[in-house]
Amino acid sequence: MTHAIRDVEHARQMLNDHFYTMDVDVLATRPDWTATFAVGGDDAVTVGDLHFGMDVAVRAGELGAYHVNMPLAGHMAFHQGSDRTHLATPANAGVYRPTGDTVVDHWAGDCRIIAVKIARAELENQLARILDAPIRGPIDLAADLDLTRGAGAAWGRLARMIAADTSEAGLTLHPVVGARLRETLVSGLLTATGHRYRDAMEQHRPALAAPGAIRRVVEAMRAQPGRPFTVADLAHIAGVGVRSLQQSFQRYVGMPPMTYLRQLRLGLVHDELRQAAPGTTVAQVAYRYGFTHPSRFAAAYRQRYGTSPSDTLRA
């Protein structure tokens, strides 16, 4: 939901509530000023579409989290600690670390940004899972992220899509889909941004997990098929990294873990539709097992069973 705000203190308080404790100084007022904020997510990943609407400076101290400001228009000048001043533009996002006093020297009035806050533990644990090894944080993310090409451009498109969906209260609120999107946003930032672990990420060859670890994951899926598992959740259950889990599942089960989970859920939906009580709908059953896109669910169901879920329900 997008909030239209016409009071500077109200705008500052909303930023404090969703992001960090900060001071806001107005650099240049504008007549008929209105700020527009749309914010969503959870404690691990917060995404906002923010437009202050007039020139301001912001002081936030140490953030304690990783953060990206990605302008959709206009520009934003910022620095952390004793580092030089950087300029964020639609071609170049600004990336912030958890430590170092943070100052936005100039947030231009025409600058609308996608703001992504990632809890420190979330990003660092994700990197440890990718490497199958502990890391020593904070991660030294480069302050500039090129949004014009490669992984940076792809990450920017994903962040914009999630922010747009958040403002419309869409799929990002779903426990399964939202968690996966936010997990992808976190791992994507590690791939798109420069830091000292990049070479290790690209060269890492994960060892296969023991068969017993894969059995634990399968048992967890079968015990709670409707739980909003992510790949990271399943890797944690197995006690291995994400890449190790994926390769081990392919070796021992013959498919990726999320494919196995989808097939398991399709089977459970099929069984429930065949035995459904009067008044049950396909949508109710499908949603309970994590299927949020009706047409894709119906296509996957037909591909597996040769009939539509509604025909199964009527049979």
Side-chain angles (χ1 to χ4, degrees):
M1 178 180 178
T2 300
H3 299 269
I5 302 170
R6 295 178 175 83
D7 177 79
V8 172
E9 178 58 26
H10 183 194
R12 184 192 68 81
Q13 189 58 53
M14 189 167 182
L15 292 174
N16 289 0
D17 291 343
H18 292 285
F19 291 98
Y20 317 98
T21 300
M22 60 185 73
D23 296 320
V24 177
D25 296 323
V26 176
L27 302 179
T29 60
R30 291 192 177 192
D32 301 322
W33 164 78
T34 301
T36 55
F37 295 162
V39 184
D42 53 24
D43 291 340
V45 181
T46 303
V47 180
D49 184 335
L50 312 176
H51 179 219
F52 210 99
M54 61 180 168
D55 294 39
V56 296
V58 178
R59 297 185 304 278
E62 290 204 339
L63 303 182
Y66 296 92
H67 188 97
V68 181
N69 281 336
M70 185 176 72
L72 301 180
H75 68 273
M76 173 181 282
F78 69 96
H79 70 275
Q80 280 193 294
S82 59
D83 196 9
R84 67 176 178 84
T85 298
H86 297 263
L87 189 67
T89 70
N92 190 73
V95 182
Y96 302 71
R97 304 176 190 176
T99 58
D101 285 344
T102 302
V103 178
V104 175
D105 304 279
H106 183 202
W107 181 356
D110 63 348
C111 181
R112 174 187 168 197
I113 64 170
I114 302 300
V116 179
K117 174 187 176 183
I118 302 174
R120 178 170 177 174
E122 185 74 12
L123 191 76
E124 294 175 8
N125 289 343
Q126 180 76 321
L127 178 58
R129 287 190 290 265
I130 291 172
L131 296 177
D132 291 330
I135 66 159
R136 290 186 299 172
I139 306 168
D140 56 335
L141 298 182
D144 301 296
L145 174 58
D146 184 357
L147 300 170
T148 63
R149 58 184 177 178
W155 189 88
R157 289 192 295 270
L158 177 62
R160 288 194 296 273
M161 183 274 291
I162 292 175
D165 189 79
T166 296
S167 66
E168 297 171 359
L171 285 177
T172 52
L173 297 181
H174 186 272
V176 175
V177 178
R180 291 180 188 169
L181 287 172
R182 290 189 289 273
E183 180 183 310
T184 303
L185 197 66
V186 173
S187 57
L189 183 63
L190 289 167
T191 302
T193 313
H195 53 82
R196 67 180 180 273
Y197 294 99
R198 279 289 299 276
D199 289 344
M201 287 177 61
E202 294 172 0
Q203 298 170 7
H204 180 62
R205 297 292 183 270
L208 289 175
I214 301 305
R215 281 197 297 272
R216 287 199 303 274
V217 174
V218 171
E219 289 167 359
M221 292 179 183
R222 291 185 174 277
Q224 296 180 287
R227 178 177 164 184
F229 288 111
T230 67
V231 176
D233 294 332
L234 300 175
H236 179 73
I237 292 169
V240 299
V242 169
R243 293 175 66 187
S244 178
L245 174 75
Q246 291 171 328
Q247 292 189 10
S248 302
F249 237 83
Q250 192 69 48
R251 170 76 175 273
Y252 298 126
V253 184
M255 65 184 74
M258 300 311 291
T259 300
Y260 177 86
L261 181 60
R262 183 171 64 253
Q263 295 300 319
L264 171 64
R265 288 169 170 166
L266 279 171
L268 293 169
V269 170
H270 178 69
D271 291 343
E272 191 163 328
L273 290 176
R274 293 175 63 192
Q275 305 171 38
T280 300
T281 68
V282 170
Q284 289 171 340
V285 178
Y287 191 85
R288 184 157 57 248
Y289 289 107
F291 294 104
T292 60
H293 196 292
S295 62
R296 291 176 185 171
F297 159 70
Y301 188 95
R302 181 179 290 277
Q303 182 178 20
R304 178 167 178 180
Y305 294 106
T307 188
S308 70
S310 58
D311 286 343
T312 302
L313 181 62
R314 288 193 295 266

